[in-house]
Amino acid sequence: MANAAEHSGANGHAGVIGGGGRLGAARLLLWVLAGALAVRQAAAVLRVPPGEWLSGFHLPGLPGSLYDAGQFTGTPFAGLVLKPLTGFAAPSLEVAWTCVTLLFVAAIGLVAARGLPDPVPRRTALLAAPVLTALMMVSLPVREAASPGQTAVLPVLLVLLAVFRVPADRPAGFLIGLAAALQPALLLFAPLLWLAGRRPTARTAAATFAGATALSWAALPGDSWTYWVEHLAGAGLGGAPDSLTNQSVHGALLRLGLTGPAEIALYVTLAAGIAWIALRRAARYAHDGQLLLAVALTGCAAVAVSPAGWRHQLLWVLLAVAGKVGKRAADRPVWPVAVILALTLPSAVLLPNLAALAPVRDNVLLLAALAAACAVPFLPRSSPYWREPVPTAYGRPAAARWARVPLLPFWRRVLSRPNLLLELLLIRVGYSLYSHIRAAAPTSRTLAEGNGSQIHGIEKALGIDIEHAVNHAVVKTPWLEAFFNFYYTSFHFVVPLTILAVLYWRRPGDYRWARASLGLATVLALAGFWLYPLAPPRLMPGLGFIDTVHGPQDLANPSYGAMTAISNQYAAMPSLHFGWSLWCGVVIVMLAPKAWQKLLGALHPLITVCAIVATANHWVLDAVGGAVVVSAGFGLVYVLSGPRGAVAPGTGTAASGAAGPAVPGPRGAADDGASAGVAAGARGRR
């Protein structure tokens, strides 16, 4: 293991780290980005008043007990080291602590990048360290680890230094033992070292941990008893053990409502099984030369099986992106993207706020750690797909629409179906970001009502101010009012998602075209929400509109009741209710094989525009705005990637320079001539 680490970390990158040119410039820019993120993180911490910052250590004065306040979560050994720091002046300690923590993060990025398994492509070798450092700076663990008194970053650095930068057994074991003294679950690295053949290092790690723990017992016997016996290695310190910050198996079981001896027995059983599976997998990858992956899996398991595994200790999950998953090149981004999303975004962004999904949403980081440690099928280096995955099939590039608008490489026509997990993740995160941006758009009542008066005046000048007449006519017809209310509230999301699902399954090439046009139209609409906040007819005072969907609104109340707490009521121009329905109509009319299906597709935007006007939720010109952004979305896709049907039969080509196993044709794309040609070519190559 030591020799492999030296080869992977020291010799594996020889001749590539000092590269220049465009890669060197990209590397510099990425380091600048990482530095800017570090400054941003430091500024967020340093904005805390010095008195409050010092109290964040949760440490009493020198004579007191570590755990009297019930907030300190570290080991007695950590308290023994940190307690003297409370005697320093708060401002100087605050600055020093923050800077050292962020420097440790940068050091982790450098050491981990040097530990990537051979062979390492030149681009990866140059960019891995700044990319990993930047990702860590924005990750939830580092954002919480930069808080006062947290030592979660230091144990990660100590373990990485022991494995990749310290060749001698005893010094390496000392560093790992010291890390375990700060975070006891990391003692799991001792059996990993034993299984990997570094038994002297494992013995030294165990002895160092025992010595540090004995020292803390001798110096702080009362605190040691509280931590190890009364609270079972810290469980329950710093907050309730079933709080969301405790991302361990024990915390998850408590959140599920299990308590008492039954919960403890189940927790011990699960922890033993997780540790056994994770250690076997980690040892196998260590012997395979993937030491960084082995270390990451062991760290994930250590936090998961700990009685109290805090979120700021789960930096190990981000290191698990070193493993490769999937035989196809198109599948390779799935695992890294899933990990990055899980570690950088709140769980509410990743999953909808549904009661059935609460157990998953509350344990996203734990599930990511468990998946890495026990389930994700990382490829061994002996796999034929390690270096040469099945390449992605592309259609023949279409000519640029205008000479000055070149077709971008990432808009090439992909013939295969995209990875479902990656699509679901990106769709969910994209919609969540859309919701947050829409909610954050300007909501000035005066500005929105002024713009509403402006729109109303333009419609009067054009003779299309029909909203009031239609609204009152519908209110006088109860069945029609009920129909439009139902249509307005029911089909806005269901129809687009259904179309995307059908296209994904039956026509993957058209799915990408449709998805891209819808996404671009939505982004353009967000710009409209920001630049032109608009009060819809139902929120315009003095015009006499009736809100048939939400009920009467108290226009004397600036908040307009409970609805404004749900979403931005002034995000009305353009109307995405109509825009998305128009997108649905265009896609159905262009792709549906039967005339009655095309007719239904054409009727959907017509009924929708009637619904948004009849319910007083939009002006007529809002629908015009929705049509403009959807047209722009389709137009941009046309400009960037060519016409939808531009690929000639039999012209599918693999990615430039790709080699390896035969390229399979896309499933469910028999109606696409290019897809059929690729499939035939693949069969011929077999």
Side-chain angles (χ1 to χ4, degrees), residues 33-34 37 105 128-143 315 318 321 336 340 343-344:
L33 173 62
L37 293 173
V105 173
V131 168
L132 180 58
T133 303
L135 288 175
M136 286 191 293
M137 290 296 179
V138 298
S139 68
L140 295 173
V142 167
R143 275 152 43 194
L315 195 57
L318 191 57
V321 299
I340 291 170
L343 264 72
T344 56

Side-chain angles (χ1 to χ4, degrees), residues 16-37 110 122-123 125-131 133-134:
V16 296
I17 296 298
R22 286 185 294 181
L23 282 180
R27 186 188 189 202
L28 178 61
L29 289 176
L30 287 170
W31 274 119
V32 171
L33 173 62
L37 293 173
L110 289 169
R122 176 183 177 84
R123 182 184 299 273
L126 283 171
L127 305 182
V131 168
T133 303

Side-chain angles (χ1 to χ4, degrees), residues 415-476:
L415 302 179
S416 59
R417 178 178 292 110
N419 185 281
L420 179 59
L421 177 60
L422 186 59
E423 289 297 301
L424 293 176
L425 281 171
L426 294 180
I427 288 174
R428 170 58 197 170
V429 171
Y431 175 71
S432 183
L433 293 177
Y434 156 78
S435 301
H436 282 79
I437 294 173
R438 174 188 166 113
T443 58
S444 168
R445 175 180 178 178
T446 303
L447 178 60
E449 290 178 355
N451 290 336
S453 299
Q454 185 181 58
I455 291 293
H456 193 212
I458 295 174
E459 290 190 353
K460 280 185 176 181
L462 296 175
I464 59 174
D465 56 327
I466 61 174
E467 294 88 357
H468 189 274
V470 172
N471 176 238
H472 281 259
V474 168
V475 169
K476 294 176 182 178

Side-chain angles (χ1 to χ4, degrees), residues 162 166-177 198 200-205 208:
V166 179
D169 289 329
R170 289 186 177 178
F174 173 79
L175 292 180
I176 292 179
R198 296 185 64 175
T201 306
R203 286 193 291 265
T204 303
T208 302

Side-chain angles (χ1 to χ4, degrees), residues 418 423 426-427 500 503 510-520 583 637:
E423 289 297 301
L426 294 180
I427 288 174
L500 288 174
L503 292 179
D510 290 328
Y511 167 82
R512 295 177 184 271
W513 162 78
R515 177 201 57 187
S517 59
L518 180 63
L520 289 171
W583 173 88
V637 174

Side-chain angles (χ1 to χ4, degrees), residues 452-453 456 460 468 472 536-537 539-546 555 619:
S453 299
H456 193 212
K460 280 185 176 181
H468 189 274
H472 281 259
L539 295 182
M540 286 294 291
L543 295 184
F545 286 96
I546 300 173
L555 299 185
W619 305 96

